[in-house]
Every structure is written in structure tokens, then in C-alpha cells.
């Protein structure tokens, strides 16, 4: 078959042979299915993290700030507040998005208490946002109170894995 791309863009579908229709359908479904499978694998990998696989830091609050994280879509750019904290025994900064359910409580804790003590498990190797801030905190305890639990992270990631796997099937 010596078919040109312009011929595939014909608007009259009656001129397509059944083979071409099947080929186009298979290519479209394969690309959609590949994306869903990739997403299922990514969520499974994140959900299967253990505390032993993560970097552990403890220490007092060194500083905190609010930064704007930029999201760019096709026709729109918007910004979301990220609470960024620094721990005195670690060079990395940890970011928590405004949509997190504990964001307000965390913000109040770091603003009110003098030198709260943090214990954080995070993935040092994952992608960072602006200013080299990591969002990949799996477990966080402040003064003995748990804010982020690895069990909750695993539960939400496995839900995503299940949904994506069902869609892929």
C-alpha cells in the first residue's frame, strides 16, 4: 500500500477500506491504552514504596515560606500556593500544595510554634518543582502528630492503579 497522509485525511469515510478503518482504530486505541497502562504502572510504583526505600530526616524547623507553583495548560496558566518548609538537618525543601487536606493545619503549626520537631520520609530521587522543591513526602510527623501517613499515600495510589488497570482492560 502506497498511501499518503492526505489520503488518510479524507472526509468521506465510505472511501476507506475496512482494513484502513481497522488500522486507524487500532493505532488510536493502542496509543490511548498505552497512556493508561503507563499511568497505572507509575501509580503502582509510587504506591509500593516502603519506609526502608525512602530518605529519612529529622530536625527542627529551619524556615518556611509560601511560593507560587505555575501550572501551564494549553490556553490557561494559573498559580497555586505551596507551603515550603526547611529542616535544619537537611538541604532539601519540602512543599505542600494548597489542596492538601492538612494544609491549613500545617500552616498554622509552622507559624505559631517555636521550632517544631519534624520527622519526614521522602523520595529524594523524584522530580522537583520550581526552586528545587520536592512534593514527594510519604510520611511526616510534627511533634509526634502525624500529618502525612504512608498508608494513606499507598491507599490512594493503589486506587489509581486499580482504576487505570480496569480502564486499560
Amino acid at each position: 500500500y502506497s498511501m499518503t497522509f492526505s489520503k488518510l485525511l479524507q472526509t468521506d469515510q465510505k472511501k476507506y477500506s475496512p482494513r484502513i478503518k481497522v488500522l486507524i482504530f487500532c493505532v488510536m486505541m493502542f496509543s490511548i491504552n498505552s497512556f493508561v497502562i503507563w499511568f497505572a504502572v507509575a501509580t503502582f510504583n509510587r504506591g509500593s514504596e516502603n519506609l526502608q526505600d525512602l530518605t529519612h530526616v529529622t530536625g527542627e524547623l529551619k524556615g518556611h515560606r509560601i511560593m507560587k507553583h505555575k501550572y501551564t495548560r494549553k490556553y490557561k496558566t494559573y498559580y497555586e500556593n505551596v507551603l515550603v518548609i526547611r529542616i535544619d538537618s537537611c538541604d532539601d525543601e519540602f512543599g505542600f500544595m494548597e489542596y492538601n487536606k492538612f494544609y491549613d493545619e500545617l500552616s498554622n503549626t509552622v507559624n505559631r510554634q517555636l521550632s517544631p520537631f519534624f520527622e519526614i520520609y521522602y523520595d529524594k530521587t523524584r522530580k522537583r518543582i520550581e526552586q528545587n522543591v520536592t512534593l514527594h513526602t510519604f510520611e511526616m510527623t510534627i511533634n509526634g502528630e502525624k500529618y502525612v501517613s504512608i498508608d494513606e499515600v499507598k491507599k490512594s495510589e493503589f486506587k489509581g492503579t486499580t482504576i487505570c488497570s480496569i480502564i486499560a482492560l
Side-chain angles (χ1 to χ4, degrees):
Y1 290 104
S2 62
M3 183 156 295
T4 63
F5 185 70
S6 62
K7 186 171 180 176
L8 286 175
L9 295 177
Q10 294 174 359
T11 56
D12 187 8
Q13 295 177 357
K14 293 177 184 175
K15 293 183 181 178
Y16 287 134
S17 72
R19 277 183 125 173
I20 296 299
K21 289 179 184 179
V22 168
L23 179 66
I24 291 172
F25 176 77
C26 288
V27 168
M28 286 177 25
M29 291 309 292
F30 179 74
S31 60
I32 292 170
N33 208 19
S34 295
F35 175 73
V36 175
I37 290 171
W38 171 81
F39 201 73
V41 169
T43 56
F44 178 78
N45 286 341
R46 182 173 159 91
S48 61
E49 293 282 357
N50 293 318
L51 291 180
Q52 297 82 10
D53 303 331
L54 302 171
T55 304
H56 178 239
V57 295
T58 57
E60 291 184 354
L61 181 67
K62 186 178 183 179
H64 68 281
R65 62 188 164 89
I66 301 289
M67 69 175 258
K68 298 284 186 181
H69 175 52
K70 181 179 179 179
Y71 286 103
T72 304
R73 300 287 185 240
K74 189 172 183 178
Y75 298 109
K76 184 178 178 183
T77 298
Y78 61 96
Y79 296 87
E80 184 173 6
N81 289 334
V82 178
L83 175 62
V84 180
I85 60 173
R86 289 186 312 276
I87 307 301
D88 64 5
S89 63
C90 181
D91 294 332
D92 291 324
E93 292 184 309
F94 307 96
F96 301 94
M97 299 292 232
E98 195 171 24
Y99 66 79
N100 289 7
K101 64 182 177 182
F102 58 86
Y103 180 86
D104 292 331
E105 188 179 349
L106 178 62
S107 180
N108 289 337
T109 300
V110 297
N111 284 324
R112 289 187 190 162
Q113 294 185 11
L114 292 174
S115 303
F117 187 78
F118 284 79
E119 181 177 10
I120 297 177
Y121 288 89
Y122 72 104
D123 191 344
K124 192 176 187 115
T125 62
R126 297 212 187 217
K127 186 177 173 183
R128 310 287 175 111
I129 60 172
E130 297 96 348
Q131 302 172 22
N132 203 27
V133 173
T134 183
L135 298 176
H136 301 287
T137 302
F138 285 81
E139 185 153 310
M140 180 175 69
T141 306
I142 304 173
N143 295 334
E145 184 179 344
K146 201 169 273 208
Y147 282 77
V148 181
S149 172
I150 194 166
D151 295 331
E152 291 176 14
V153 173
K154 284 183 172 199
K155 191 184 306 180
S156 68
E157 293 297 328
F158 282 134
K159 282 180 188 175
T161 299
T162 304
I163 291 169
C164 290
S165 297
I166 289 171
I167 291 171
L169 287 176

